[in-house]
Amino acid sequence: RCPSPSSSTPGAEQREKQYRVHRGFGDRRGGVISARTYFYADEAKCDQHMETFLRCIDASGGSSEDGFSAIKLTALGRPQFLLQFSEVLVKWRRFFHQMAAEQGQAGRAVLEMKLEAEKLQEALANLGIVTKAESQHWFTGENLGVSGTVDLLDWNSLIDSRTKLSKLLLIPNMQTGQLEPLLSRFTEEEDLQMKRMLQRMDVLAKRATEKGVRLMVDAEQSYFQPAISRLTLEMQRRFNRDRAIVFNTYQCYLKEAYDNVTVDVELSRREGWHFGTKLVRGAYMEQERERAAKIGYEDPINPTYEKTNEMYHRCLDYILEEIKHRRKANVMVASHNEDTVKFTLRRMMELGIHPSEKKVYFGQLLGMCDQITFPLGQAGFPVYKYVPYGPVREVLPYLSRRAQENRGFVQRANRERDLLWREVKRRLLAGSLFSPNH
């Protein structure tokens, strides 16, 4: 008998809708005021985008030491694949939570949920998914089930893009109560699309490593993000063995941001690679909320700006603590918020993280918040300007959307102008207009 969804995963049926294709949201620019978007035409177009990203990596490597280059996975493959892969990952994770609830662990922090392997095997057998004998070898060996328990990371490892195991797995469909293959909707062509996307990511990561450039994989809409994060983790496992080359991005306006950060940090600890992340508040709020309301699933965004601030600082503090204890984590604080910058500086001082270690970076858009960027740079902190470039007709609308999106931008621009004017007058009076050193 399949457990009733309502008994352990309230609202699961509605949340499934988040990962369904919806004709009304085929245009990913709709409602997006603050991010570059790409459209899938064919595989050749994806190859063109890859070449553009390669030139971007070369430009970054040639113009600065320890540079960053940002890429988007929706430019490197068919977004439909990312949507379907996200649905698979979310179903699999939700099934784990369902099992945890059956074992009386509902409400625990995600990393504290530990299923007893023996009970889990019995449950899988009772559900008719696999026999106990068949599942036994899943939870034996070096890493899985050594302690007699299985946590979310153990569970996630059963779905591996490098194996075909996931094709054999059956899980209950929340709507019908029937067992179905987890990847039943994946065709051979979609398998190829995934492989091609991974190959393009591989080419980019290798070039970034050669050029001494860090690769920042941008976050995108929440219904693509599970797949994007999973593919990025695969790249981190391979390329972040000695230093952080590949950086994942976490959007802190998402209710699940902290859970995602803590689970991925724990994976990096267990496997011994360098955790690299960019923290942002988020760029797709209007579109996310409109889609959730129209399709009928829970809004994935924090209810208020203040809650998002709390989430940002909570995630950031967790990563800073990780840097203190292991020195194998790196974070880009991508923010125009002065309070967030001050919070970071205070916590770095308290935790003994020196700017020269280059574990904590700061980033702002070119032409915005220079009153934050320049003092940080002068004080010796690694600080970066995010430089969008390309045809004027594409770059200017992007910059205007970013200006529109940033709350209080006009007030900050006025303040920045006043500060600059005050500095000009000070230099005039001091007789050192062109020299800032006097």
Side-chain angles (χ1 to χ4, degrees), residues 31-99:
V32 177
I33 59 171
S34 54
R36 181 79 174 86
T37 50
Y38 292 87
F39 294 88
Y40 181 81
D42 51 37
E43 294 295 311
K45 191 70 176 172
C46 293
D47 286 334
Q48 285 178 26
H49 289 149
M50 182 185 73
E51 292 298 330
T52 300
F53 288 149
L54 286 170
R55 289 196 295 274
C56 181
I57 291 167
D58 291 344
S60 182
S63 60
S64 64
E65 287 184 22
D66 295 325
F68 281 89
S69 185
I71 66 168
K72 284 207 165 187
L73 290 202
T74 51
L76 296 175
R78 189 166 172 245
Q80 172 73 12
F81 155 70
L82 291 172
L83 197 67
Q84 288 176 307
F85 190 30
S86 291
E87 181 183 19
V88 165
L89 294 170
V90 168
K91 275 185 177 179
W92 190 238
R93 184 164 172 164
R94 193 169 295 142
F95 188 34
F96 173 86
H97 285 285
Q98 188 178 344
M99 299 288 224

Side-chain angles (χ1 to χ4, degrees), residues 30-245:
V32 177
I33 59 171
S34 54
R36 181 79 174 86
T37 50
Y38 292 87
F39 294 88
Y40 181 81
D42 51 37
E43 294 295 311
K45 191 70 176 172
C46 293
D47 286 334
Q48 285 178 26
H49 289 149
M50 182 185 73
E51 292 298 330
T52 300
F53 288 149
L54 286 170
R55 289 196 295 274
C56 181
I57 291 167
D58 291 344
S60 182
S63 60
S64 64
E65 287 184 22
D66 295 325
F68 281 89
S69 185
I71 66 168
K72 284 207 165 187
L73 290 202
T74 51
L76 296 175
R78 189 166 172 245
Q80 172 73 12
F81 155 70
L82 291 172
L83 197 67
Q84 288 176 307
F85 190 30
S86 291
E87 181 183 19
V88 165
L89 294 170
V90 168
K91 275 185 177 179
W92 190 238
R93 184 164 172 164
R94 193 169 295 142
F95 188 34
F96 173 86
H97 285 285
Q98 188 178 344
M99 299 288 224
E102 294 281 318
Q103 291 193 17
Q105 298 191 40
R108 286 193 187 181
V110 67
L111 281 173
E112 289 173 13
M113 290 182 178
K114 297 184 190 298
L115 307 182
E116 291 182 36
E118 188 78 20
K119 283 186 182 176
L120 175 59
Q121 287 165 11
E122 285 173 12
L124 291 170
N126 291 340
L127 286 166
I129 294 173
V130 285
T131 66
K132 196 168 178 183
E134 286 171 327
S135 67
Q136 215 147 13
H137 72 278
W138 295 357
F139 307 110
T140 55
E142 227 174 286
N143 301 314
L144 282 181
V146 172
S147 62
T149 61
V150 175
D151 65 12
L152 183 62
L153 291 176
D154 296 329
W155 183 248
N156 283 345
S157 69
L158 293 176
I159 295 186
D160 192 323
S161 66
R162 292 163 297 187
T163 74
K164 292 287 183 185
L165 175 62
S166 53
K167 292 226 166 174
L168 309 175
L169 297 175
L170 299 167
I171 64 169
N173 179 307
M174 295 294 190
Q175 281 76 48
T176 64
Q178 300 298 308
L179 292 177
E180 61 178 34
L182 192 63
L183 293 181
S184 57
R185 298 185 203 165
F186 270 47
T187 63
E188 286 302 313
E189 175 57 26
E190 284 159 350
D191 270 349
L192 284 172
Q193 285 170 354
M194 181 172 86
K195 288 188 178 75
R196 286 192 286 256
M197 184 181 277
L198 286 166
Q199 285 165 355
R200 292 181 188 110
M201 291 175 72
D202 190 64
V203 167
L204 294 174
K206 281 177 178 167
R207 179 73 65 90
T209 304
E210 289 166 12
K211 299 289 182 178
V213 172
R214 271 74 55 85
L215 210 57
M216 292 192 300
V217 180
D218 273 352
E220 305 199 43
Q221 288 89 337
S222 64
Y223 34 95
F224 297 125
Q225 196 54 45
I228 291 170
S229 287
R230 181 59 188 255
L231 295 174
T232 304
L233 277 175
E234 290 295 326
M235 302 302 287
Q236 289 179 312
R237 285 170 139 166
R238 293 179 53 212
F239 290 94
N240 288 10
R241 304 307 306 183
D242 301 319
R243 61 189 291 246
I245 295 289

Side-chain angles (χ1 to χ4, degrees), residues 213-405:
V213 172
R214 271 74 55 85
L215 210 57
M216 292 192 300
V217 180
D218 273 352
E220 305 199 43
Q221 288 89 337
S222 64
Y223 34 95
F224 297 125
Q225 196 54 45
I228 291 170
S229 287
R230 181 59 188 255
L231 295 174
T232 304
L233 277 175
E234 290 295 326
M235 302 302 287
Q236 289 179 312
R237 285 170 139 166
R238 293 179 53 212
F239 290 94
N240 288 10
R241 304 307 306 183
D242 301 319
R243 61 189 291 246
I245 295 289
V246 179
F247 279 58
N248 203 354
T249 302
Y250 297 87
Q251 300 186 100
C252 294
Y253 68 2
L254 293 176
K255 293 171 183 173
E256 61 178 28
Y258 183 77
D259 279 352
N260 292 338
V261 167
T262 55
V263 167
D264 291 352
V265 167
E266 175 61 22
L267 182 66
S268 74
R269 283 184 200 136
R270 290 187 192 182
E271 298 185 343
W273 43 269
H274 289 252
F275 180 79
T277 181
K278 178 175 74 166
L279 284 185
V280 299
R281 277 173 170 76
Y284 304 96
M285 185 171 72
E286 297 305 322
Q287 190 188 44
E288 291 276 12
R289 288 195 161 147
E290 184 190 349
R291 190 179 192 271
K294 191 161 186 176
I295 300 176
Y297 58 86
E298 182 189 341
D299 182 355
I301 308 290
N302 282 318
T304 64
Y305 186 73
E306 289 68 33
K307 285 287 183 188
T308 292
N309 280 346
E310 285 174 25
M311 180 66 83
Y312 194 107
H313 289 182
R314 190 180 178 206
C315 293
L316 177 55
D317 200 50
Y318 187 87
I319 297 165
L320 293 174
E321 287 278 358
E322 179 68 9
I323 292 171
K324 176 192 175 180
H325 294 298
R326 288 180 67 248
R327 284 332 201 241
K328 287 185 86 170
N330 304 258
V331 61
M332 163 72 80
V333 182
S335 176
H336 296 142
N337 186 298
E338 289 183 34
D339 291 336
T340 293
V341 172
K342 288 173 184 173
F343 172 86
T344 310
L345 298 178
R346 189 186 81 243
R347 290 298 287 141
M348 286 178 70
M349 193 180 302
E350 290 168 357
L351 295 168
I353 303 168
H354 197 271
S356 62
E357 292 183 63
K358 295 186 176 179
K359 297 290 184 186
V360 182
Y361 315 93
F362 296 87
Q364 287 90 40
L365 276 168
L366 181 68
M368 289 177 68
C369 293
D370 289 348
Q371 81 276 12
I372 293 176
T373 311
F374 294 139
L376 281 172
Q378 287 165 349
F381 289 90
V383 60
Y384 291 80
K385 280 301 200 186
Y386 192 102
V387 185
Y389 67 93
V392 171
R393 66 182 179 277
E394 291 183 18
V395 175
L396 280 182
Y398 167 82
L399 289 173
S400 68
R401 290 197 300 271
R402 289 314 299 254
Q404 180 187 346
E405 176 250 355

